[in-house]
Amino acid sequence: MSMSLSTVTAPVDTARWPDVARLPRASPLRTAVARAVVRNALRRLPLTVKLRDGDRLGTGGPVMRVYDPAAFHRRVGASGLIGFGESYMAGEWAAEDLVGVLTVLAENAATLVPPSLQRLRGVWALKQPAARRNTPEGSRDNISHHYDLSNDLFSLFLDDTLSYSSAVFRAFPATRELLPAAQHRKIDRLLDLAGVGDGSEVLEIGTGWGELAIRAAARGARVTTVTLSVEQRALALRRIAEAGQADRVTVLLRDYRAISGRYDAVVSVEMIEAVGEEFWPEYFATLERLLAPGGRIALQAITMPDDRLLVSSKTYTWIQKYVFPGGQIPSAEAIERTALATTGLRVARSDGFGAHYAETLRLWRAHFEARAAEVDALGFDATFRRMWSFYLAYSEAGFRSGYLDVRQLLLTPGGAR
């Protein structure tokens, strides 16, 4: 898709998007340093960067067009990767292959900033706002920010299962028609990992829109599933009733820390990312407390490299500001470290399938962008659409580059299989 300047300069609603509509304050020195760092990084990457002032950077590859270099550098100087994303939302740069550009950047994430400046991360990097901590009250607000946007919005790009997590395909490339079966394959693998069968007492942390609970109940299990999203719970209850499983599934609007009881299987799909590093010990202690003797815990988790987690975990990111406030992706090593340090749980199995998430996100983004008029009709503006497309492309690039992975993990007391 080619982009002219006129396609990316729609007015930005100042009240709705204040930090996109207005350029941030940034000292001339900070902006100059950002310009030098950015140009030095782009110059050696396999990209083709075309700046409006006529300069070209990169060694060749996916095309990135910078329409307002001064604004672009100022935003990056003021807030790093947050500014990079806000510049895209503002239409100051665009890409003919957005995933391609972002994949190159993700592949080189560890070396984009010189080591001398990386050591100053604590000085220049923005810190996560205290208000976004995942306390019981904060978690409710953080979850609502994303999942209570609109059930209709999510329905526009997800498949009929309304599964908002990585599918598992049989082969690539996949088509949209294969998504429901691929999502069921993912769910069934997790339920198998947890040993869910007829008569199992199952706890699901993070209901989504109810598909996992429905499939667990269809196996003969009794399911208690918890969510903090009012919108999700309402639709999940309806879908569970329509599937004829209302007598087997209880959907609670409750924080995971407030759950009681003991369960043969505890399952959770891509919810640990919303826990926050500060609360990982409490999360695993809660899982252990809720597990019946002989029980099994099966998690699906997005993970990042441990070395990148250690240097970036306190940094405030674009994703946290605009998409998942309070979110923090763990590493596989951090999951094992936390479980070992705070509980008797051990990781007995861990299977990665990041390429499948890249494919899932590709299909979601294509459908979202094809239904732009319907997104507008729901009351979301062009800046939101650019933000959401960037989020989906940014995530896909993370998995395509290998910077991100997604894993299904089995945790049991002592690591018993």
Side-chain angles (χ1 to χ4, degrees):
M1 177 181 67
S2 62
M3 284 191 181
S4 64
L5 181 59
S6 62
T7 64
V8 294
T9 54
V12 176
D13 185 331
T14 304
R16 194 170 185 180
W17 309 101
D19 293 345
V20 178
R22 305 185 190 97
L23 285 175
R25 295 180 178 179
S27 69
L29 175 60
R30 191 165 177 134
T31 300
V33 170
R35 182 178 185 276
V37 170
V38 167
R39 291 176 68 89
N40 180 63
L42 294 177
R43 189 175 289 115
R44 54 189 169 80
L45 293 180
L47 295 171
T48 299
V49 183
K50 300 180 179 181
L51 287 83
R52 188 168 187 172
D53 57 17
D55 281 0
R56 294 172 70 102
L57 303 170
T59 63
V63 177
M64 174 180 176
R65 300 181 186 275
V66 183
Y67 300 121
D68 191 338
F72 175 76
H73 293 132
R74 183 166 164 179
R75 289 186 191 271
V76 173
S79 53
L81 289 176
I82 292 178
F84 178 76
E86 288 176 342
S87 187
Y88 183 84
M89 292 167 68
E92 294 158 3
W93 71 273
E96 296 172 358
D97 174 9
L98 182 57
V99 171
V101 168
L102 295 175
T103 298
V104 170
L105 295 175
E107 288 171 340
N108 294 274
T111 59
L112 290 175
V113 177
S116 58
L117 291 180
Q118 288 192 33
R119 287 193 289 270
L120 297 175
R121 178 186 290 271
V123 176
W124 59 262
L126 299 180
K127 301 297 187 296
Q128 297 181 38
R132 292 305 192 183
R133 291 178 63 233
N134 285 300
T135 61
E137 298 76 18
S139 289
R140 190 177 305 112
D141 292 341
N142 290 339
I143 292 297
S144 179
H145 175 92
H146 187 83
Y147 292 99
D148 287 340
L149 276 170
S150 163
N151 286 332
D152 291 335
L153 171 69
F154 288 100
S155 297
L156 286 181
F157 67 93
L158 300 178
D159 65 89
D160 290 343
T161 70
L162 289 182
S163 296
Y164 190 35
S165 52
S166 180
V168 175
F169 299 96
R170 291 195 184 279
F172 301 142
T175 62
R176 184 169 177 83
E177 292 71 29
L178 298 174
L179 258 177
Q183 291 291 3
H184 285 161
R185 191 173 300 115
K186 173 271 302 296
I187 291 171
D188 291 344
R189 285 188 178 189
L190 200 70
L191 294 178
D192 289 346
L193 198 61
V196 174
D198 191 14
S200 296
E201 291 289 338
V202 177
L203 171 66
E204 180 189 20
I205 300 178
T207 305
W209 287 276
E211 193 70 14
L212 185 147
I214 290 169
R215 289 189 77 78
R219 293 186 176 204
R222 292 196 173 276
V223 184
T224 299
T225 179
V226 298
T227 180
L228 290 175
S229 169
V230 174
E231 291 273 336
Q232 281 192 324
R233 180 176 184 270
L235 183 51
L237 283 169
R238 192 172 82 215
R239 296 182 74 244
I240 290 164
E242 290 172 352
Q245 301 295 351
D247 60 331
R248 289 191 169 273
V249 181
T250 301
V251 186
L252 302 176
L253 193 66
R254 189 170 299 173
D255 188 278
Y256 69 92
R257 287 161 285 207
I259 305 169
S260 59
R262 304 291 290 276
Y263 300 87
D264 304 313
V266 179
V267 294
S268 187
V269 179
E270 295 176 28
M271 180 272 175
I272 190 174
E273 302 86 346
V275 170
E277 183 176 14
E278 176 186 1
F279 296 98
W280 288 344
E282 186 174 9
Y283 173 75
F284 285 104
T286 300
L287 296 183
E288 184 178 45
R289 171 175 61 80
L290 295 168
L291 198 63
R296 297 159 72 92
I297 298 165
L299 307 179
Q300 183 163 310
I302 299 170
T303 60
M304 67 186 297
D306 195 51
D307 60 336
R308 300 308 300 164
L309 171 67
L310 293 174
V311 300
S312 66
S313 64
K314 300 297 188 290
T315 303
Y316 191 36
T317 68
W318 181 87
I319 286 283
Q320 290 167 334
K321 181 173 181 177
Y322 285 100
V323 186
F324 291 111
Q328 175 62 64
I329 293 173
S331 64
E333 294 87 345
I335 291 174
E336 295 200 41
R337 277 198 304 269
T338 307
L340 178 65
T342 59
T343 72
L345 300 173
R346 301 293 179 266
V347 176
R349 181 171 174 179
S350 179
D351 302 313
F353 51 104
H356 293 257
Y357 218 148
E359 195 71 356
T360 304
L361 285 154
R362 179 183 69 81
L363 295 172
W364 287 347
R365 186 169 60 91
H367 211 59
F368 175 80
E369 293 179 349
R371 305 186 75 174
E374 293 167 83
V375 176
D376 291 348
L378 292 174
F380 298 99
D381 62 14
T383 305
F384 176 90
R385 282 193 283 105
R386 287 182 64 76
M387 178 197 76
W388 204 261
S389 290
F390 188 80
Y391 148 57
L392 294 174
Y394 186 90
S395 301
E396 180 184 342
F399 290 102
R400 292 212 180 277
S401 67
Y403 185 86
L404 296 178
D405 197 3
V406 61
R407 312 191 71 81
Q408 287 191 347
L409 303 103
L410 171 65
L411 287 86
T412 57
R417 292 178 179 274

